[in-house]
Each structure stands twice: as C-alpha cells, then as structure tokens.
Amino acid sequence: MAVTDPIADYLTRIRNAQQAGHRIVDIPASKLKKSMTEILYNQGFILKYKFEEIEKGQDLIRIALKYDPRNKQPIIRELGRISRPGLRKYAKADEVPRIINGLGVCIVSTSHGLMTDKQAREQNLGGELLCYVY
C-alpha cells in the first residue's frame, strides 16, 4: 500500500512506538525524513539515529527513542501534523507559530531547507509548517 502522506506516517510510527514502549523504531527513509530526524536529534527529542542502507529497495532510518529515566515517560509528549496534503499551511517569517511559548518545536520547510521555527524567525524565512513536537 502506498503512503499518501509520508510525514504523517513518520510521526505516527514514532507515536505508536512510544505508546508501545519500544526503544527503537524503523522508518522508511527519504531526504525529508532524514532532515526531520536530524532536527529532532539536535533539539534533544530522540536519543540517537542511524541511516541504514539496504542493498535493494528502501533505505531505513533507525531511531532510538528517548525516555525520562525517573518515570519512564517518553520525552516527546506530543507530535502532530500541521500542513496536510489536502490543506497546506504556510506562514511568513513573522507569523511562524511558537509551540508552547518556545518549549516545543515547529518544523518549517523553507527555501533554505528544513529548520525549526526559531531558526526560521532568526533567518527571517517563512515556509510550509510541516509539524510540531513537544
């Protein structure tokens, strides 16, 4: 079955793995998903990641999820899609939303590639609002 919205699929796989208490989740790779994974890692939402190449077919992104050592709760409290294939959401540089007053991250697709909402505001760039994480 073909995935019509790869970003929603990516977010859902992470969400489902966390609810099931898994430490590692495998996601089919693409350039966009690799960039999103790097942003999640740099923002401290995931423990580590590895891009694995399979000789035939789809490459994989293997993500080690991060949990709070004290109460074993996932670090990522919520993640969701903003712009969907049926309804794209764009914002100018000064309209890029703050997620929980800057505690969360909004991933924005700009003309300079994927970046966080904070980076987009600093570089005065707008773009498509892909998803939020906190």
Side-chain angles (χ1 to χ4, degrees):
M1 188 182 101
V3 177
T4 54
D5 186 3
I7 298 170
D9 177 64
Y10 173 89
L11 299 174
T12 301
R13 284 175 190 252
I14 292 175
R15 199 179 302 116
N16 289 346
Q18 283 189 329
Q19 284 177 337
H22 294 309
R23 293 261 170 242
I24 292 171
V25 60
D26 287 344
I27 299 171
S30 71
K31 274 187 180 174
L32 182 75
K33 292 180 197 170
K34 285 180 180 180
S35 297
M36 287 176 64
T37 304
E38 286 166 0
I39 289 173
L40 290 179
Y41 176 75
N42 292 337
Q43 296 298 315
F45 287 112
I46 58 177
L47 201 58
K48 56 184 172 223
Y49 63 92
K50 190 160 72 174
F51 301 136
E52 295 194 355
E53 291 185 23
I54 299 166
E55 55 282 341
K56 282 190 186 138
Q58 186 79 50
D59 291 351
L60 274 181
I61 304 173
R62 181 158 284 164
I63 298 175
L65 299 170
K66 203 172 185 180
Y67 293 89
D68 188 321
R70 292 184 304 272
N71 59 12
K72 306 287 187 261
Q73 290 296 311
I75 295 294
I76 298 174
R77 298 244 181 269
E78 197 169 312
L79 68 169
R81 192 83 160 95
I82 300 174
S83 184
R84 315 189 312 261
L87 181 64
R88 301 283 186 197
K89 297 260 187 318
Y90 297 93
K92 295 181 184 140
D94 56 346
E95 295 169 357
V96 174
R98 297 179 94 84
I99 308 299
I100 347 179
N101 250 342
L103 292 175
V105 171
C106 176
I107 297 178
V108 185
S109 174
T110 69
S111 55
H112 294 262
L114 288 192
M115 57 183 68
T116 65
D117 51 328
K118 189 171 182 243
Q119 291 168 323
R121 275 192 293 277
E122 283 171 4
Q123 295 181 28
N124 199 26
L125 290 167
E128 185 179 355
L129 309 174
L130 297 180
C131 62
Y132 64 87
V133 184
Y134 63 85

mmCIF file of all heavy atoms in Angstrom, residues 25-53:
data_model
loop_
_atom_site.group_PDB
_atom_site.id
_atom_site.type_symbol
_atom_site.label_atom_id
_atom_site.label_comp_id
_atom_site.label_asym_id
_atom_site.label_seq_id
_atom_site.Cartn_x
_atom_site.Cartn_y
_atom_site.Cartn_z
ATOM 1 N N VAL A 25 12.681 2.453 16.717
ATOM 2 C CA VAL A 25 11.662 2.401 15.663
ATOM 3 C C VAL A 25 12.357 2.540 14.307
ATOM 4 O O VAL A 25 13.293 3.321 14.163
ATOM 5 C CB VAL A 25 10.563 3.482 15.866
ATOM 6 C CG1 VAL A 25 11.154 4.877 15.857
ATOM 7 C CG2 VAL A 25 9.477 3.364 14.830
ATOM 8 N N ASP A 26 11.930 1.711 13.338
ATOM 9 C CA ASP A 26 12.469 1.774 11.977
ATOM 10 C C ASP A 26 11.465 2.478 11.083
ATOM 11 O O ASP A 26 10.273 2.157 11.105
ATOM 12 C CB ASP A 26 12.733 0.370 11.423
ATOM 13 C CG ASP A 26 13.939 -0.281 12.075
ATOM 14 O OD1 ASP A 26 14.728 0.442 12.708
ATOM 15 O OD2 ASP A 26 14.096 -1.511 11.944
ATOM 16 N N ILE A 27 11.953 3.424 10.289
ATOM 17 C CA ILE A 27 11.092 4.210 9.401
ATOM 18 C C ILE A 27 11.717 4.221 8.012
ATOM 19 O O ILE A 27 12.926 4.420 7.891
ATOM 20 C CB ILE A 27 10.950 5.655 9.940
ATOM 21 C CG1 ILE A 27 10.312 5.627 11.328
ATOM 22 C CG2 ILE A 27 10.129 6.515 8.986
ATOM 23 C CD1 ILE A 27 10.319 6.937 12.051
ATOM 24 N N PRO A 28 10.911 4.005 6.954
ATOM 25 C CA PRO A 28 11.460 4.111 5.590
ATOM 26 C C PRO A 28 12.045 5.508 5.377
ATOM 27 O O PRO A 28 11.445 6.499 5.780
ATOM 28 C CB PRO A 28 10.245 3.889 4.681
ATOM 29 C CG PRO A 28 9.209 3.262 5.545
ATOM 30 C CD PRO A 28 9.497 3.686 6.956
ATOM 31 N N ALA A 29 13.214 5.578 4.754
ATOM 32 C CA ALA A 29 13.940 6.842 4.653
ATOM 33 C C ALA A 29 13.595 7.645 3.403
ATOM 34 O O ALA A 29 13.206 7.089 2.384
ATOM 35 C CB ALA A 29 15.438 6.565 4.674
ATOM 36 N N SER A 30 13.730 8.953 3.545
ATOM 37 C CA SER A 30 13.698 9.890 2.423
ATOM 38 C C SER A 30 14.521 11.089 2.883
ATOM 39 O O SER A 30 14.824 11.214 4.071
ATOM 40 C CB SER A 30 12.266 10.307 2.085
ATOM 41 O OG SER A 30 11.742 11.156 3.088
ATOM 42 N N LYS A 31 14.890 11.966 1.952
ATOM 43 C CA LYS A 31 15.689 13.143 2.322
ATOM 44 C C LYS A 31 14.965 13.980 3.372
ATOM 45 O O LYS A 31 15.563 14.442 4.339
ATOM 46 C CB LYS A 31 15.949 14.012 1.090
ATOM 47 C CG LYS A 31 17.138 13.627 0.281
ATOM 48 C CD LYS A 31 17.354 14.678 -0.799
ATOM 49 C CE LYS A 31 18.548 14.346 -1.650
ATOM 50 N NZ LYS A 31 18.672 15.278 -2.773
ATOM 51 N N LEU A 32 13.663 14.176 3.169
ATOM 52 C CA LEU A 32 12.846 14.978 4.083
ATOM 53 C C LEU A 32 12.829 14.370 5.479
ATOM 54 O O LEU A 32 13.057 15.058 6.480
ATOM 55 C CB LEU A 32 11.419 15.081 3.530
ATOM 56 C CG LEU A 32 10.439 15.913 4.333
ATOM 57 C CD1 LEU A 32 10.746 17.391 4.135
ATOM 58 C CD2 LEU A 32 9.022 15.635 3.882
ATOM 59 N N LYS A 33 12.605 13.050 5.562
ATOM 60 C CA LYS A 33 12.555 12.375 6.866
ATOM 61 C C LYS A 33 13.919 12.395 7.554
ATOM 62 O O LYS A 33 14.001 12.500 8.771
ATOM 63 C CB LYS A 33 12.060 10.938 6.700
ATOM 64 C CG LYS A 33 10.604 10.837 6.286
ATOM 65 C CD LYS A 33 10.218 9.391 6.150
ATOM 66 C CE LYS A 33 8.949 9.203 5.372
ATOM 67 N NZ LYS A 33 8.704 7.811 5.056
ATOM 68 N N LYS A 34 14.992 12.299 6.758
ATOM 69 C CA LYS A 34 16.342 12.367 7.338
ATOM 70 C C LYS A 34 16.570 13.741 7.966
ATOM 71 O O LYS A 34 17.090 13.843 9.076
ATOM 72 C CB LYS A 34 17.403 12.079 6.275
ATOM 73 C CG LYS A 34 17.492 10.611 5.895
ATOM 74 C CD LYS A 34 18.552 10.368 4.836
ATOM 75 C CE LYS A 34 18.630 8.902 4.478
ATOM 76 N NZ LYS A 34 19.645 8.621 3.454
ATOM 77 N N SER A 35 16.148 14.796 7.274
ATOM 78 C CA SER A 35 16.290 16.158 7.815
ATOM 79 C C SER A 35 15.462 16.325 9.084
ATOM 80 O O SER A 35 15.915 16.927 10.058
ATOM 81 C CB SER A 35 15.840 17.194 6.792
ATOM 82 O OG SER A 35 16.645 17.152 5.656
ATOM 83 N N MET A 36 14.237 15.788 9.071
ATOM 84 C CA MET A 36 13.375 15.879 10.262
ATOM 85 C C MET A 36 14.019 15.155 11.443
ATOM 86 O O MET A 36 13.996 15.655 12.566
ATOM 87 C CB MET A 36 11.985 15.289 9.971
ATOM 88 C CG MET A 36 11.136 16.171 9.078
ATOM 89 S SD MET A 36 9.560 15.443 8.630
ATOM 90 C CE MET A 36 8.748 15.322 10.206
ATOM 91 N N THR A 37 14.598 13.981 11.173
ATOM 92 C CA THR A 37 15.256 13.194 12.221
ATOM 93 C C THR A 37 16.426 13.968 12.818
ATOM 94 O O THR A 37 16.603 13.997 14.034
ATOM 95 C CB THR A 37 15.739 11.844 11.648
ATOM 96 O OG1 THR A 37 14.624 11.167 11.060
ATOM 97 C CG2 THR A 37 16.334 10.974 12.735
ATOM 98 N N GLU A 38 17.221 14.627 11.961
ATOM 99 C CA GLU A 38 18.355 15.413 12.454
ATOM 100 C C GLU A 38 17.884 16.565 13.338
ATOM 101 O O GLU A 38 18.500 16.849 14.367
ATOM 102 C CB GLU A 38 19.192 15.927 11.279
ATOM 103 C CG GLU A 38 20.019 14.824 10.640
ATOM 104 C CD GLU A 38 20.602 15.187 9.281
ATOM 105 O OE1 GLU A 38 20.371 16.309 8.791
ATOM 106 O OE2 GLU A 38 21.295 14.326 8.717
ATOM 107 N N ILE A 39 16.771 17.210 12.958
ATOM 108 C CA ILE A 39 16.223 18.296 13.781
ATOM 109 C C ILE A 39 15.766 17.755 15.131
ATOM 110 O O ILE A 39 16.080 18.324 16.178
ATOM 111 C CB ILE A 39 15.072 19.026 13.047
ATOM 112 C CG1 ILE A 39 15.626 19.856 11.886
ATOM 113 C CG2 ILE A 39 14.287 19.920 14.017
ATOM 114 C CD1 ILE A 39 14.579 20.489 10.996
ATOM 115 N N LEU A 40 15.041 16.625 15.138
ATOM 116 C CA LEU A 40 14.576 16.029 16.405
ATOM 117 C C LEU A 40 15.764 15.674 17.306
ATOM 118 O O LEU A 40 15.716 15.876 18.513
ATOM 119 C CB LEU A 40 13.728 14.781 16.139
ATOM 120 C CG LEU A 40 12.350 15.006 15.515
ATOM 121 C CD1 LEU A 40 11.649 13.666 15.285
ATOM 122 C CD2 LEU A 40 11.482 15.896 16.383
ATOM 123 N N TYR A 41 16.844 15.167 16.701
ATOM 124 C CA TYR A 41 18.035 14.815 17.471
ATOM 125 C C TYR A 41 18.702 16.066 18.046
ATOM 126 O O TYR A 41 19.029 16.121 19.231
ATOM 127 C CB TYR A 41 19.017 14.029 16.598
ATOM 128 C CG TYR A 41 20.313 13.717 17.293
ATOM 129 C CD1 TYR A 41 20.370 12.722 18.274
ATOM 130 C CD2 TYR A 41 21.479 14.419 17.006
ATOM 131 C CE1 TYR A 41 21.555 12.432 18.934
ATOM 132 C CE2 TYR A 41 22.669 14.141 17.659
ATOM 133 C CZ TYR A 41 22.699 13.153 18.625
ATOM 134 O OH TYR A 41 23.867 12.878 19.285
ATOM 135 N N ASN A 42 18.885 17.082 17.205
ATOM 136 C CA ASN A 42 19.544 18.323 17.642
ATOM 137 C C ASN A 42 18.748 19.043 18.725
ATOM 138 O O ASN A 42 19.324 19.735 19.564
ATOM 139 C CB ASN A 42 19.770 19.264 16.449
ATOM 140 C CG ASN A 42 20.793 18.712 15.480
ATOM 141 O OD1 ASN A 42 21.635 17.893 15.847
ATOM 142 N ND2 ASN A 42 20.715 19.131 14.230
ATOM 143 N N GLN A 43 17.420 18.889 18.710
ATOM 144 C CA GLN A 43 16.574 19.526 19.717
ATOM 145 C C GLN A 43 16.429 18.667 20.978
ATOM 146 O O GLN A 43 15.749 19.047 21.915
ATOM 147 C CB GLN A 43 15.181 19.816 19.130
ATOM 148 C CG GLN A 43 15.202 20.806 17.975
ATOM 149 C CD GLN A 43 15.722 22.172 18.390
ATOM 150 O OE1 GLN A 43 15.343 22.706 19.423
ATOM 151 N NE2 GLN A 43 16.604 22.741 17.576
ATOM 152 N N GLY A 44 17.027 17.481 20.982
ATOM 153 C CA GLY A 44 17.035 16.632 22.175
ATOM 154 C C GLY A 44 15.786 15.786 22.364
ATOM 155 O O GLY A 44 15.525 15.297 23.455
ATOM 156 N N PHE A 45 15.016 15.554 21.299
ATOM 157 C CA PHE A 45 13.791 14.752 21.424
ATOM 158 C C PHE A 45 14.040 13.262 21.242
ATOM 159 O O PHE A 45 13.253 12.444 21.676
ATOM 160 C CB PHE A 45 12.732 15.217 20.413
ATOM 161 C CG PHE A 45 12.106 16.527 20.776
ATOM 162 C CD1 PHE A 45 12.335 17.664 20.012
ATOM 163 C CD2 PHE A 45 11.275 16.636 21.878
ATOM 164 C CE1 PHE A 45 11.763 18.878 20.339
ATOM 165 C CE2 PHE A 45 10.699 17.839 22.219
ATOM 166 C CZ PHE A 45 10.948 18.963 21.448
ATOM 167 N N ILE A 46 15.136 12.894 20.557
ATOM 168 C CA ILE A 46 15.462 11.480 20.381
ATOM 169 C C ILE A 46 16.893 11.224 20.847
ATOM 170 O O ILE A 46 17.731 12.131 20.855
ATOM 171 C CB ILE A 46 15.269 11.002 18.918
ATOM 172 C CG1 ILE A 46 16.115 11.809 17.933
ATOM 173 C CG2 ILE A 46 13.808 11.014 18.531
ATOM 174 C CD1 ILE A 46 16.019 11.338 16.499
ATOM 175 N N LEU A 47 17.159 9.986 21.259
ATOM 176 C CA LEU A 47 18.451 9.607 21.824
ATOM 177 C C LEU A 47 19.539 9.587 20.750
ATOM 178 O O LEU A 47 20.562 10.239 20.870
ATOM 179 C CB LEU A 47 18.322 8.234 22.482
ATOM 180 C CG LEU A 47 19.345 7.856 23.516
ATOM 181 C CD1 LEU A 47 19.359 8.868 24.649
ATOM 182 C CD2 LEU A 47 19.039 6.473 24.058
ATOM 183 N N LYS A 48 19.313 8.796 19.699
ATOM 184 C CA LYS A 48 20.233 8.758 18.559
ATOM 185 C C LYS A 48 19.523 8.160 17.360
ATOM 186 O O LYS A 48 18.417 7.646 17.471
ATOM 187 C CB LYS A 48 21.513 7.995 18.887
ATOM 188 C CG LYS A 48 21.346 6.588 19.367
ATOM 189 C CD LYS A 48 22.704 6.010 19.745
ATOM 190 C CE LYS A 48 22.505 4.660 20.401
ATOM 191 N NZ LYS A 48 23.307 4.419 21.546
ATOM 192 N N TYR A 49 20.185 8.245 16.223
ATOM 193 C CA TYR A 49 19.594 7.713 14.996
ATOM 194 C C TYR A 49 20.689 7.193 14.090
ATOM 195 O O TYR A 49 21.856 7.536 14.248
ATOM 196 C CB TYR A 49 18.785 8.800 14.275
ATOM 197 C CG TYR A 49 19.616 9.982 13.812
ATOM 198 C CD1 TYR A 49 20.174 9.998 12.534
ATOM 199 C CD2 TYR A 49 19.854 11.062 14.636
ATOM 200 C CE1 TYR A 49 20.956 11.060 12.104
ATOM 201 C CE2 TYR A 49 20.627 12.131 14.221
ATOM 202 C CZ TYR A 49 21.174 12.124 12.958
ATOM 203 O OH TYR A 49 21.948 13.170 12.542
ATOM 204 N N LYS A 50 20.286 6.338 13.155
ATOM 205 C CA LYS A 50 21.239 5.767 12.208
ATOM 206 C C LYS A 50 20.533 5.602 10.874
ATOM 207 O O LYS A 50 19.397 5.118 10.826
ATOM 208 C CB LYS A 50 21.724 4.410 12.731
ATOM 209 C CG LYS A 50 22.882 3.837 11.966
ATOM 210 C CD LYS A 50 23.626 2.780 12.760
ATOM 211 C CE LYS A 50 22.830 1.499 12.870
ATOM 212 N NZ LYS A 50 23.544 0.409 13.509
ATOM 213 N N PHE A 51 21.180 6.029 9.797
ATOM 214 C CA PHE A 51 20.630 5.824 8.459
ATOM 215 C C PHE A 51 21.222 4.525 7.934
ATOM 216 O O PHE A 51 22.432 4.402 7.806
ATOM 217 C CB PHE A 51 20.987 6.988 7.528
ATOM 218 C CG PHE A 51 20.485 8.318 8.006
ATOM 219 C CD1 PHE A 51 21.283 9.447 7.955
ATOM 220 C CD2 PHE A 51 19.198 8.455 8.519
ATOM 221 C CE1 PHE A 51 20.824 10.684 8.389
ATOM 222 C CE2 PHE A 51 18.728 9.677 8.962
ATOM 223 C CZ PHE A 51 19.540 10.785 8.891
ATOM 224 N N GLU A 52 20.357 3.535 7.660
ATOM 225 C CA GLU A 52 20.828 2.237 7.183
ATOM 226 C C GLU A 52 20.464 2.060 5.724
ATOM 227 O O GLU A 52 19.326 2.298 5.340
ATOM 228 C CB GLU A 52 20.216 1.115 8.021
ATOM 229 C CG GLU A 52 20.683 1.146 9.456
ATOM 230 C CD GLU A 52 20.370 -0.132 10.203
ATOM 231 O OE1 GLU A 52 19.707 -1.010 9.640
ATOM 232 O OE2 GLU A 52 20.787 -0.221 11.353
ATOM 233 N N GLU A 53 21.438 1.622 4.948
ATOM 234 C CA GLU A 53 21.181 1.376 3.531
ATOM 235 C C GLU A 53 20.971 -0.113 3.322
ATOM 236 O O GLU A 53 21.775 -0.934 3.746
ATOM 237 C CB GLU A 53 22.352 1.882 2.690
ATOM 238 C CG GLU A 53 22.452 3.388 2.690
ATOM 239 C CD GLU A 53 23.536 3.910 1.762
ATOM 240 O OE1 GLU A 53 23.919 3.190 0.823
ATOM 241 O OE2 GLU A 53 23.981 5.037 2.007
#
